[in-house]
Amino acid sequence: MKKYITFYSIVLLLVSGHIMAQEEEPTEYKKRVLESVEVNLLSSYYTQDGENAAVTGGRGTEELTDIAPSINISIPLNDDDVLTVDATVSAYTSASSSNIDPFDGPQPADPFVASSGASEQDTWFGLTANYAHSSDDRNTIISGNVSFANEYDYSSIGFGGSITKLFNEKNTELQLNVNAYFDSWRPQYPIEFREGFNLSDYSFSGNPNFSSNYTQFQDESRNSYSIGVSLSQILSKSIQTSFIGDVVLQNGLLSTPHQRVYFGDFEDTMVENFTLGNDIERLPDTRTKIALGNRTNFYLNQNFILRTYYRFYTDDWGIDSHTFKAELPIKLGLNYTLYPMYRYYTQTAANDFGEYNTIVSTQEFYTSDYDLAEYDAHQYGIGFKYYDPLNKLNIGGFGLKSINLEYNYYERTTQNFNANITSLSFNFVAN
């Protein structure tokens, strides 16, 4: 279940005069990589609901709302270099996260009811800067990036870079990219596992020794390293295809500390309407992910383009998945495009996944996070784009290049989970 305000001026130096003019070579025109500053403003609104919250061991409300405005600014530093800065703020309210401490609200604790305590809402912030340099012939592009993200329970810093080569009169493109992310957890354990929690302070029923397996994590870091390669080829005037491969290696704390697990061989311990967890999620401290994909676009005629995407994914936790997506942009005149889309996804379950109260306490690893369960998912969407290359509408020295409005409905057919995603973006170009 993540991510646009400066003016920039261009100065041309004209060389004139008669001194040694006969020895000077004529200046060859070189098109700038980016003609002027571009600003993209994006805002998305996301809602979801379901009954398999990982915070409460795969049983409980998954209701969540998220508002995420972001701004992306691309600045041409000269003919060859572009600096891009992206900033996103994500403010969410989560019923499941509120039940990290279900006893901090006025209502009786219940996994299917949101607590009104401090853990109900939070804000995520992310910032990325990318610097790209293109060669004089525009056949080589080298870029580097740095990123930072922070939330209430973790911080992340990332570094990466890529090199892109164009061949065959720019009909063939090969790209290699590498990235590394270094995360630090600030674990927010469920309230019953925290120091100071005393079961005798509550009226309870069941097993008083509800957490005999529990110990805190000693390693609170998580590192991720990825390498990706893509090959794009224009096959004809009407077909373009690209093949994509990615490998991700992770190590460290890959479990989520605030997600509970319930054992089938333990008697439940009830406080009000809430069952106390027997342990927290425990997963292997290494993971290898491999993904192979293809994107192919078919130009059908001047009004229709078919865009297709397929990806196969596998990892050493036991998950295999297939993703298929199709999009059909339909041009409505010179400035408008309507694009319906559909995405299908299916995956197998992770080796260590178990439903509520089915896991055995003697297992080494376990989770009840339904993101790691077996399921099928469908996503239906519609988008509308206004595009004006002449930027006729001007606002504060910027011309409006495009407006994009998109809506998607997502559902998992094997679980009672659904989501709605609406996004709106504006792209401006400095005049």
Side-chain angles (χ1 to χ4, degrees), residues 103-391:
F103 308 113
D104 62 354
Q107 74 287 336
D110 191 314
F112 292 96
V113 177
S115 173
S116 57
S119 57
E120 181 185 15
Q121 55 190 356
D122 197 64
T123 301
W124 176 92
F125 171 76
L127 180 67
T128 301
N130 182 84
Y131 181 89
H133 171 77
S134 298
S135 62
D136 288 340
D137 60 8
R138 301 298 185 252
N139 287 329
T140 303
I141 305 169
I142 300 174
S143 70
N145 66 78
V146 60
S147 63
F148 173 78
N150 186 71
E151 198 174 2
Y152 76 101
D153 61 348
Y154 89 97
S155 296
S156 175
I157 186 169
F159 305 92
S162 69
I163 180 168
T164 304
K165 296 287 292 185
L166 286 82
F167 308 94
N168 189 23
E169 297 181 346
K170 295 182 170 58
N171 289 318
T172 306
E173 179 181 304
L174 179 65
Q175 183 183 82
L176 175 69
N177 62 78
V178 293
N179 290 280
Y181 298 93
F182 306 96
D183 303 343
S184 298
W185 282 94
R186 295 182 292 275
Q188 307 295 310
Y189 295 102
I191 186 63
E192 62 266 38
F193 300 124
R194 297 182 193 176
E195 185 178 351
F197 179 85
N198 192 339
L199 186 59
S200 62
D201 293 339
Y202 299 86
S203 175
F204 72 93
S205 63
N207 182 12
N209 187 24
F210 61 91
S211 61
S212 61
N213 281 28
Y214 171 75
T215 58
Q216 289 193 0
F217 292 113
Q218 299 303 308
D219 182 4
E220 297 180 353
S221 65
R222 176 180 61 193
N223 304 323
S224 302
Y225 310 92
S226 69
I227 182 169
V229 61
S230 65
L231 176 65
S232 301
Q233 178 66 49
I234 298 176
L235 299 177
S236 68
K237 292 182 179 180
S238 58
I239 303 177
Q240 180 181 10
T241 190
S242 62
F243 296 91
I244 308 159
D246 293 286
V247 177
V248 178
L249 304 176
Q250 293 182 294
N251 62 62
L253 179 51
L254 305 184
S255 307
T256 304
H258 56 252
Q259 296 185 170
R260 293 176 176 88
V261 168
Y262 295 87
F263 297 143
D265 55 343
F266 269 45
E267 181 187 3
D268 288 343
T269 305
M270 294 287 297
V271 176
E272 297 173 350
N273 300 320
F274 196 90
T275 305
L276 302 185
N278 299 135
D279 198 5
I280 52 178
E281 174 183 85
R282 298 191 186 275
L283 291 167
D285 58 5
T286 63
R287 189 178 188 183
T288 301
K289 308 177 183 181
I290 300 174
L292 300 172
N294 174 262
R295 297 182 187 272
T296 301
N297 299 333
F298 302 89
Y299 176 82
L300 305 179
N301 56 46
Q302 62 180 359
N303 293 321
F304 295 92
I305 299 174
L306 176 61
R307 297 173 179 166
T308 65
Y309 172 72
Y310 169 77
R311 186 189 76 155
F312 169 73
Y313 166 92
T314 186
D315 65 28
D316 58 356
W317 283 9
I319 295 178
D320 293 332
S321 74
H322 301 271
T323 305
F324 173 77
K325 182 178 180 181
E327 183 178 304
L328 184 65
I330 305 168
K331 287 188 66 66
L332 307 173
L334 297 177
N335 303 105
Y336 304 96
T337 301
L338 185 71
Y339 54 98
M341 52 196 147
Y342 168 75
R343 178 181 180 270
Y344 172 73
Y345 178 83
T346 182
Q347 76 171 37
T348 60
N351 298 330
D352 303 309
F353 173 80
E355 296 182 353
Y356 179 87
N357 261 355
T358 64
I359 293 167
V360 179
S361 60
T362 55
Q363 294 177 216
E364 181 179 8
F365 302 116
Y366 32 75
T367 178
S368 293
D369 184 348
Y370 273 73
D371 287 344
L372 302 178
E374 178 181 1
Y375 67 87
D376 300 331
H378 300 275
Q379 184 170 309
Y380 311 90
I382 187 75
F384 179 78
K385 182 175 183 179
Y386 166 78
Y387 177 72
D388 178 16
L390 300 179
N391 317 133

